[in-house]
Amino acid sequence: MSIEVSTELPSLELTFTRTDLVRYAGASGDFNPIHHSDHAAHALGLDGVLAHGMLTMGRALRVVTDWVGDPARVVAYGVRFTKPVPVPDDGVGTVVTVNGRVTGVADGVATVSIEAVCGEAKVLGSAVAEVRVA
């Protein structure tokens, strides 16, 4: 695989539904009610239910794993959570658009900057993955 700096990865649209949040809560053990109850979210001053940050982080990495073809090639990944992902109870959910761009290549490892946006809000900051390409 020949990779160069500035290579754009194929864009990815991720849909988050309330069902996804319930499934993730069961898998992760994170049953914080702000991830499933509008009542609990409103009581804390939130507009509504929010996706788990770690779910957003994990699913956003797919932009890299789909591109490279093998999740085992990821050698490092880190993000900063900048904005929450609201998930309405409408049966449709919300969409997060994820893009990636190669910002460096050295010793067979590509550094990929990832951008995840929900509506107009950037939901992950400083999102960077390192992936073995050789």
Side-chain angles (χ1 to χ4, degrees):
M1 174 184 287
S2 177
I3 308 300
E4 297 176 10
V5 171
S6 297
T7 298
E8 298 284 334
L9 281 58
S11 185
L12 181 64
E13 286 195 349
L14 304 170
T15 301
F16 291 78
T17 66
R18 293 281 177 101
T19 300
D20 295 327
L21 304 187
V22 170
R23 288 181 177 142
Y24 183 78
S28 69
D30 181 353
F31 294 102
N32 185 323
I34 66 167
H35 301 305
H36 63 83
S37 168
D38 283 314
H39 174 75
H42 291 146
L44 293 174
L46 301 170
D47 291 333
V49 165
L50 306 175
H52 303 75
M54 295 300 285
L55 174 61
T56 304
M57 178 185 176
R59 291 191 64 201
L61 184 60
R62 271 197 43 218
V63 76
V64 173
T65 59
D66 286 359
W67 171 67
V68 77
D70 181 2
R73 291 177 135 190
V74 175
V75 296
Y77 179 44
V79 308
R80 193 172 42 81
F81 301 109
T82 56
K83 297 282 184 183
V85 175
V87 181
D89 189 14
D90 61 2
V92 177
T94 195
V95 173
V96 173
T97 303
V98 185
N99 292 292
R101 185 173 57 83
V102 176
T103 57
V105 181
D107 300 323
V109 174
T111 301
V112 179
S113 290
I114 299 168
E115 179 179 75
V117 177
C118 182
E120 299 295 317
K122 186 175 176 182
V123 298
L124 299 177
S126 304
V128 177
E130 293 180 358
V131 59
R132 191 159 311 286
V133 292

